[in-house]
Amino acid sequence: MMTLPVLMGDAWGVLLAYVFLYPLVMSFAWSIGAVVFYFLYERHPHRIVNQPPVLANYPMVAILVPCFNEEANARETITALMELQYPNFEVLAINDGSTDRSAEILNSLVAEFPRLRVIHNLQNQGKAVGLNTAAQLTQAEILLGIDGDARLDPWCLHWLVRHFEEPVVGAVTGNPRVRTRSTLLGRIQVGEFSAMIGLIKRAQRSIGLVFTVSGVIAAFRRSAVRDIGFWSPDKLTEDVDITWRLHLAGWEVRFEARALCWILMPETLRGLWRQRLRWAMGGMQVVFSNWRKLWRRPRLWMVFGEYSMSLMWAIGIAVLVFYRLIDLLLYQADLQSVPILFIGWTGLVLSTVCLMESLLGIALDHPYDRGLAKNFFWMIWYPIVYWMLVSSTAVCALPALLLRKTGERAKWISPDRGISPDRPPNP
Amino acid sequence: MTKARALIISHPELQPMLRRFFAFALTVAAWGIWVLLMLPLLWIGAARLDVRLPALDYFAHVDATKLGQLLDFLPLALLLVVIWLSVQLLYGLIVRVLRSTDKPPVSDATTRVATNANQESVEFSTWQSARIVQVEHAAHGRIQNVHVVMAGDGTSSQPRV
């Protein structure tokens, strides 16, 4: 029987080597980069969140909170914002044509909080248009975009704003911490945000190339946003898009580990799948639409190269797993598939490196999230779950993106926000 | 009014007992497999101490030579990563020093924002201080009209339905 390994010959070996070596090498790269970030930026002045450095001045900050059907979270989010210790800010809640009681709740909060202003979009326009509208209806120099279900740390603004004292800085993203920790999926994501996202952001910052700000907490210089023409309404991940356009326009994008933002994440497979599929599609959409402009910024080639390699790896792993599954299902034939990633020496090496990476992530984020170490038990799942998710969303995102109409407006997708006493799981 | 939630929302008891049990049991099993994968290290250690343990055959299907060839590339790959990081770091620092003044802060005058939105600046500054506004957008997402429901001084008008 002509099997895939026979047909591909040496290419098969190269594929196996690539699928094994890429995550291994990148684990080391992210870890080394994160340690460099720690020594260069995070250790100084200190890691005590509630003792931020004194700023030369405190420019006006507008916190933009796009809300679409946020009746369950709006009060909590706005109330937490009013506890910010920064002296000069206003909150702009953007009710983007919600169909629930969000408008009523936000209007009632205006009476309670003098710093709150509310913008009602008469029709649903999508997050990017909501942000653009609010950015034009404020006079603040710094714009901070957060999600309608996020809770900011009281000292978050101090840590973010200090970066804007340097005029080259166009955007600064903070450190999202997962609040929803009830289910296995929730706990795996707690680990992911430290071991993967936290390390990657640190490493990227240490070389001055943050791939994307986190849409859930990202501060922008208003003139920089205006310089690039505000947010793009047709992009599925407006945060990735605006980061790339800032880079292309020559602005610096930074990561601040001490600017904490507590977020709700999906705790069902369906919710997680929808979220990650959107992320995958959005990332590809931005990279595909910007790659021609990369000649202007040779430094971005690195980010483009790394993204392309990770995409190839995700597709490669999908091919191997699919082939392996077929081989296991066919009792009568041996397709000579190899269980390369999960069993044997390769599995041992990769899982051990990933666990070490998780430990490093926990150590770096421990001062900001004291209960993090408790989640290490669940992190054994992280490589398998994360890789399978990345791989399957990449494979599905590609055709979905190609079938999407050019310029189609990106609309809200109400995500699953985990389980809690007021949001019990489905039976 | 909804009751304030704790910062960390951890309520595993809200899940069915069976689901919790499976999550725990599978995680213990996953750790067990990892420990099992680590066993050859024990065998290697035992061999050094001249202790003979029963032979392991569950790695028999894995071609150790191929793996060794793969791992041979690892130090080279790591060296390349370190060099790449160092070059990037150095380049970043140089760029940062050289262009520290090439992006002067631009004052974002209200008039310019108003022009961008095709509006009169006087009216725009009223909108920029209003407490509650309703906004209509054109098809492409640009602001078309703004109705002030509650002005900055607290005076209210009837909202549009």
Side-chain angles (χ1 to χ4, degrees):
Chain A
M1 178 188 267
M2 289 293 280
T3 61
L4 199 56
V6 172
L7 283 171
M8 289 176 70
D10 286 347
W12 180 253
V14 171
L15 177 65
L16 291 179
Y18 182 67
V19 163
F20 169 65
L21 282 177
Y22 173 76
L24 194 64
V25 171
M26 291 318 293
S27 285
F28 283 110
W30 302 138
S31 302
I32 295 167
V35 172
V36 169
F37 175 89
Y38 169 77
F39 282 108
L40 278 183
Y41 305 111
E42 199 169 350
R43 208 163 54 117
H44 305 291
H46 53 70
R47 297 205 291 166
I48 307 167
V49 171
N50 60 7
Q51 291 176 20
V54 177
L55 306 180
N57 61 64
Y58 293 84
M60 178 74 165
V61 177
I63 302 171
L64 318 182
V65 193
C67 302
F68 177 64
N69 291 345
E70 291 287 0
E71 64 177 0
N73 303 303
R75 174 169 283 278
E76 183 185 27
T77 301
I78 302 293
T79 308
L81 289 174
M82 296 306 154
E83 289 164 15
L84 286 172
Q85 301 297 310
Y86 191 81
N88 190 16
F89 73 95
E90 65 176 357
V91 177
L92 275 86
I94 307 127
N95 166 36
D96 194 20
S98 298
T99 51
D100 64 356
R101 289 177 57 247
S102 297
E104 189 188 320
I105 291 168
L106 290 172
N107 284 347
S108 70
L109 290 170
V110 167
E112 286 179 48
F113 303 118
R115 289 184 190 271
L116 176 64
R117 296 171 56 207
V118 176
I119 297 167
H120 295 289
N121 288 349
L122 289 179
Q123 283 182 322
N124 180 252
Q125 297 289 334
K127 187 177 176 183
V129 172
L131 290 169
N132 288 343
T133 304
Q136 292 174 84
L137 293 181
T138 177
Q139 293 177 0
E141 286 175 50
I142 310 291
L143 309 171
L144 172 65
I146 68 165
D147 282 356
D149 56 356
R151 259 176 76 163
L152 287 190
D153 180 82
W155 303 95
C156 169
L157 281 182
H158 287 78
W159 288 106
L160 289 171
V161 171
R162 75 187 191 116
H163 291 276
F164 291 102
E165 289 181 344
E166 289 179 58
V168 289
V169 176
V172 185
T173 189
N175 188 356
R177 314 297 326 154
V178 178
R179 292 175 66 193
T180 37
R181 303 178 183 188
S182 301
T183 66
L184 180 60
L185 280 180
R187 288 162 174 170
I188 291 171
Q189 289 173 90
V190 175
E192 182 200 358
F193 268 73
S194 285
M196 198 70 195
I197 296 173
L199 288 193
I200 290 177
K201 285 268 194 298
R202 283 179 172 90
Q204 289 177 339
R205 166 67 186 116
S206 66
I207 58 167
L209 284 171
V210 175
F211 176 79
T212 176
V213 297
S214 303
V216 70
I217 173 174
F220 301 90
R221 188 187 299 280
R222 187 173 136 131
S223 50
V225 176
R226 200 200 58 218
D227 183 29
I228 58 164
F230 294 91
W231 282 268
S232 307
D234 62 325
K235 294 293 186 288
L236 289 161
T237 46
E238 81 296 330
D239 45 1
V240 184
D241 174 65
I242 201 163
T243 311
W244 274 63
R245 287 192 294 123
L246 283 169
H247 279 309
L248 287 168
W251 293 94
E252 197 171 305
V253 179
R254 293 187 176 179
F255 169 67
E256 174 53 66
R258 288 153 292 201
L260 305 181
C261 176
W262 299 88
I263 61 173
L264 304 175
M265 290 296 282
E267 289 199 276
T268 61
L269 266 178
R270 187 167 177 263
L272 189 64
W273 170 260
R274 288 176 70 182
Q275 184 196 52
R276 298 310 167 99
L277 185 63
R278 186 177 68 82
W279 288 6
M281 285 175 69
M284 286 180 197
Q285 188 185 33
V286 171
V287 172
F288 292 168
S289 59
N290 284 304
W291 71 270
R292 287 185 203 87
K293 301 169 194 162
L294 288 178
W295 61 269
R296 278 194 264 154
R297 296 280 160 193
R299 285 197 78 207
L300 279 177
W301 296 350
M302 287 289 179
V303 185
F304 179 72
E306 201 283 309
Y307 180 82
S308 306
M309 282 167 68
S310 72
L311 191 60
M312 283 191 293
W313 175 80
I315 293 169
I317 203 170
V319 168
L320 286 179
V321 170
F322 185 65
Y323 191 66
R324 176 74 182 155
L325 283 176
I326 293 176
D327 198 0
L328 289 174
L329 289 172
L330 294 175
Y331 291 105
Q332 301 299 321
D334 177 14
L335 297 181
Q336 298 172 12
S337 66
V338 182
I340 186 162
L341 277 177
F342 307 121
I343 303 174
W345 284 102
T346 48
L348 172 65
V349 171
L350 284 175
S351 58
T352 307
V353 169
C354 282
L355 287 173
M356 299 300 285
E357 195 185 334
S358 302
L359 278 175
L360 177 65
I362 288 175
L364 288 173
D365 277 327
H366 174 69
Y368 320 126
D369 189 348
R370 293 283 174 186
L372 208 50
K374 278 193 291 186
N375 284 280
F376 185 68
F377 172 70
W378 307 99
M379 285 187 199
I380 188 75
W381 287 114
Y382 147 69
I384 294 177
V385 173
Y386 179 75
W387 291 347
M388 288 300 102
L389 197 61
V390 166
S391 172
S392 47
T393 51
V395 169
C396 295
L398 201 55
L401 189 64
L402 293 173
L403 291 171
R404 189 181 161 81
K405 273 192 241 164
T406 311
E408 185 182 337
R409 181 79 63 86
K411 290 286 186 179
W412 291 92
I413 299 170
S414 293
D416 151 25
R417 267 76 175 261
I419 64 170
S420 69
D422 55 326
R423 278 193 309 271
N426 293 326
Chain B
M1 188 186 293
T2 52
K3 197 179 159 192
R5 285 184 293 227
L7 189 61
I8 303 298
I9 303 167
S10 180
H11 291 283
E13 73 280 0
L14 292 174
Q15 298 173 88
M17 182 62 97
L18 201 61
R19 198 180 297 172
R20 284 166 64 192
F21 171 76
F22 271 114
F24 182 79
L26 285 172
T27 307
V28 170
W31 276 105
I33 290 171
W34 184 73
V35 170
L36 204 65
L37 290 172
M38 293 291 274
L39 279 182
L41 297 181
L42 182 68
W43 259 244
I44 291 168
R48 293 220 163 185
L49 297 169
D50 288 333
V51 178
R52 290 190 65 82
L53 296 171
L56 281 175
D57 62 353
Y58 58 80
F59 287 152
H61 60 285
V62 180
D63 187 340
T65 318
K66 273 189 179 173
L67 179 74
Q69 287 167 351
L70 290 181
L71 288 175
D72 281 347
F73 287 105
L74 193 59
L76 181 66
L78 286 177
L79 183 68
L80 288 175
V81 166
V82 172
I83 293 171
W84 170 66
L85 278 173
S86 310
V87 169
Q88 285 291 309
L89 199 67
L90 200 65
Y91 184 80
L93 287 173
I94 293 167
V95 166
R96 213 174 135 193
V97 170
L98 288 180
R99 70 164 192 196
S100 58
T101 54
D102 76 345
K103 283 279 181 194
V106 185
S107 72
D108 202 9
T110 305
T111 44
R112 297 180 73 169
V113 182
T115 310
N116 192 47
N118 237 354
Q119 303 294 339
E120 293 296 324
S121 60
V122 177
E123 201 174 18
F124 217 86
S125 58
T126 311
W127 298 344
Q128 285 180 326
S129 60
R131 300 291 310 281
I132 303 177
V133 293
Q134 287 179 319
V135 182
E136 280 179 77
H137 293 85
H140 42 62
R142 185 175 274 191
I143 296 175
Q144 194 170 42
N145 195 17
V146 178
H147 172 64
V148 177
V149 178
M150 185 191 281
D153 59 7
T155 52
S156 303
S157 65
Q158 202 61 28
R160 288 178 189 167
V161 181

